[in-house]
Amino acid sequence: MPDPAIDVTRLMAERPVVDLHADTFYRLARFADVAKFGARTQEGHIDLPRLVEGGVGLVVQAIYTPKEKTGPEGTDHAMRLAARILEAVRTNPGVGLVEEADDLDRFRGPDSIGFLLHLESVSPFAGEMGFLSLFEKLGVRSVGLTHNHANEAAGGCEDGPDGLGLSGFGRELVSELDRRGILLDVAHLGNRATRELLERARGPVVASHTGFRALCDRPRNLSDETIGEIVRTGGLVGIDFVPGHLVREGPATMDVVLAHIAHVAERFGTDHVAIGSDFDGFESAPPVGLEDASRFPALAARLLAAGYSEADTRKILGGNARRVLGEVLARRARR
Ligand SMILES: [Zn+2]
């Protein structure tokens, strides 16, 4: 068996990691300064130097709108957050926006990172379809209909056991997102809304950042039945590093992250598991050994040491995410 350390250095030099969910600009806007993105700090989990060190080639950056911000206030909030991300793209050499399928291969070199914009809750649309076109123009290529609570489009995972389904507006959005080649993300949706979305969507659909109820039974996490439905769309699930999604109590560890990855890999195959850290989106202590984005090489080493082949390790770290994003974005060229 080859020395994992040597394999990891070679592997990570190719910047294979795709992180399907991060809240870097929400954190920077709240606690710091967006200009800090380019400098290495000890704050939060992500900045440009730590992404480069971690072998990350692509990060899905969220435009998250808290539930208190409804109507025009939510729209204003989301536009400001989008403006800050776009400003970071403009002012950091080597950082670019992934908007079309071809862009997926543009950000692979040293010091080069692709951002893909994700709208986390469509509450900024305030029920108006025109805002989808506006946010699409801003570069949004992935959409989650809700955060934890119901909005104009759908029910959230904290709305009670089954929650609300999709509204008429939500159903129309699912069709439009599919048609436009924008990724559909069921993370944070309620059970009923998730089922209705998966029945309607053309796919592939993802749950970008999540844990699994079989290992940690919480409403925010996915049941095996739902994972199976996501897999049937050709999609995938991204493991997040939020301790409360990984373990019922106590600190999370790298072993627990490995166990969540193995849960999906063994039941549904290594083609349907990915990473969506939720870095910068939580304040509790991250899993021991995965303290920030510079630690992805340690995760790669652990996957190889656990017996995953190099090909499967590549898929889990980012290959699967690239495949699904490529499939969805390719639809843009054809419409
Ligand atoms: Zn989230």
Side-chain angles (χ1 to χ4, degrees):
M1 193 173 163
D3 178 357
I6 296 169
D7 284 343
V8 169
T9 307
R10 182 173 50 76
L11 186 71
M12 299 315 271
E14 294 171 26
R15 313 168 60 69
V17 177
V18 175
D19 188 340
L20 280 172
H21 195 89
D23 280 293
T24 307
F25 293 90
Y26 185 73
R27 173 181 70 80
L28 288 173
R30 257 177 99 199
F31 301 116
D33 180 345
V34 174
K36 281 193 167 180
F37 175 70
R40 201 182 206 290
T41 70
Q42 305 285 335
E43 297 160 24
H45 309 127
I46 286 180
D47 48 47
L48 185 53
R50 283 184 285 179
L51 288 171
V52 170
E53 203 178 315
V56 181
L58 172 61
V59 188
V60 177
Q61 286 287 358
I63 301 168
Y64 157 68
T65 303
K67 71 172 193 301
E68 305 76 47
K69 296 191 188 294
T70 56
E73 208 193 336
T75 314
D76 179 74
H77 165 88
M79 300 278 283
R80 282 172 194 273
L81 199 45
R84 286 176 177 139
I85 301 174
L86 294 176
E87 188 63 2
V89 170
R90 187 184 71 83
T91 55
N92 285 281
V95 180
L97 218 52
V98 171
E99 294 179 276
E100 312 303 332
D102 292 350
D103 296 334
L104 286 167
D105 290 320
R106 277 178 52 216
F107 304 99
R108 294 267 208 166
D111 304 320
S112 137
I113 302 279
F115 280 178
L116 187 138
L117 300 191
H118 168 73
L119 195 67
E120 190 168 25
S121 172
V122 299
S123 58
F125 295 177
E128 246 188 80
M129 190 56 75
F131 278 109
L132 175 59
S133 301
L134 182 70
F135 280 91
E136 186 182 10
K137 288 270 186 213
L138 297 180
V140 167
R141 295 294 181 266
S142 168
V143 170
L145 296 183
T146 68
H147 194 248
N148 290 332
H149 296 278
N151 60 17
E152 294 83 354
C157 60
E158 300 284 334
D159 291 333
D162 217 27
L164 300 169
L166 298 177
S167 68
F169 180 58
R171 285 193 292 275
E172 199 185 336
L173 268 173
V174 170
S175 307
E176 271 303 300
L177 291 163
D178 260 342
R179 194 182 68 77
R180 295 183 194 207
I182 298 176
L183 183 68
L184 278 156
D185 183 356
V186 297
H188 291 285
L189 277 187
N191 289 334
R192 190 174 153 201
T194 301
R195 279 197 309 276
E196 291 182 7
L197 187 151
L198 290 167
E199 278 162 18
R200 289 187 78 83
R202 181 171 156 187
V205 172
V206 305
S208 65
H209 57 306
T210 186
F212 308 116
R213 289 184 194 167
L215 300 176
C216 178
D217 191 9
R218 292 187 188 284
R220 173 66 177 81
N221 284 347
L222 296 181
S223 67
D224 282 358
E225 193 190 342
T226 304
I227 301 171
E229 286 163 13
I230 289 170
V231 166
R232 272 193 289 281
T233 72
L236 55 77
V237 294
I239 316 292
D240 75 33
F241 300 162
V242 181
H245 297 173
L246 296 168
V247 284
R248 285 293 304 182
E249 53 191 39
T253 60
M254 185 87 93
D255 286 335
V256 175
V257 173
L258 264 287
H260 278 248
I261 291 172
H263 179 76
V264 181
E266 285 162 16
R267 281 160 191 79
F268 304 96
T270 48
D271 286 346
H272 301 286
V273 56
I275 306 295
S277 67
D278 208 6
F279 272 151
D280 288 335
F282 60 96
E283 285 163 55
S284 40
V288 178
L290 284 168
E291 287 79 7
D292 63 27
S294 73
R295 301 289 300 156
F296 284 115
L299 178 61
R302 285 297 304 274
L303 287 166
L304 291 165
Y308 291 91
S309 68
E310 187 179 323
D312 282 345
T313 301
R314 286 173 189 277
K315 283 184 193 173
I316 295 165
L317 292 176
N320 291 333
R322 285 180 181 277
R323 179 195 78 232
V324 166
L325 286 168
E327 210 175 303
V328 173
L329 293 176
R331 217 174 276 157
R332 305 184 61 73
R334 295 195 296 268
R335 74 193 167 103

